[in-house]
Amino acid sequence: MNEYVENAPYVALIDDDQHSAALLTRMLVAHGSPRIQWYGNTAVAHSTIATTLSDPKASWPSLIIIDLKAQSQASIEFLRSIQPLAYQKGVNAVVMVPPDGRQHREALEDAGASAIFIRHAEPDAYRREAASLVSFWARSQRLDAVGM
């Protein structure tokens, strides 16, 4: 087994829309993101994240991206449910919101969002936001994580 590959950084994506998850994954990888692991919708993702972050031998995601569209409060509810464990493990959780979702910014920040990104409909704006998200991931990496 190659320990380096098993411990390579990855991003956990929680998205209730498979097409949206595939598009965001392509955009993030095109901008230099580590591999993306799609955890699916809230029910599956919550269980997967809780199990992964609770296992000291597991490879934890280096970032959790929450992009839920099922209902207006889905992202904040999910964030609140995982934030204590993610915070304890030092894993940042960011949230994607629609352009009109900025009014929820304070509530998302209070719930523990490390950053908030806009889910733009216009392709160039979406690309720029994906690049910003990858830049955030790169800046938030722990310098002592290499070789652990």
Side-chain angles (χ1 to χ4, degrees), residues 7-27:
N7 291 324
Y10 73 96
V11 171
L13 174 60
I14 293 81
D15 193 328
D16 52 5
D17 180 323
Q18 187 173 7
H19 174 73
S20 171
L23 177 62
L24 183 55
T25 297
R26 282 193 309 272
M27 285 290 169

Side-chain angles (χ1 to χ4, degrees), residues 63-110:
L63 180 68
I64 300 170
I65 301 172
I66 303 166
D67 189 9
L68 299 171
K69 300 165 222 55
Q71 47 124 330
S72 63
Q73 293 296 310
S75 291
I76 195 164
E77 289 169 7
F78 186 84
L79 177 62
R80 284 181 180 141
S81 73
I82 64 152
Q83 185 52 27
L85 190 54
Y87 179 79
Q88 178 187 14
K89 303 301 182 180
V91 178
N92 286 321
V94 302
V95 181
M96 300 287 293
V97 297
D100 64 348
R102 293 179 186 186
Q103 72 270 19
H104 299 296
R105 179 181 201 94
E106 191 172 313
L108 288 165
E109 289 170 348
D110 289 345

Side-chain angles (χ1 to χ4, degrees), residues 39-59:
Y39 281 5
N41 64 21
T42 57
V44 174
H46 190 276
S47 172
T48 303
I49 285 178
T51 301
T52 301
L53 293 179
S54 296
D55 182 356
K57 295 179 183 177
S59 178

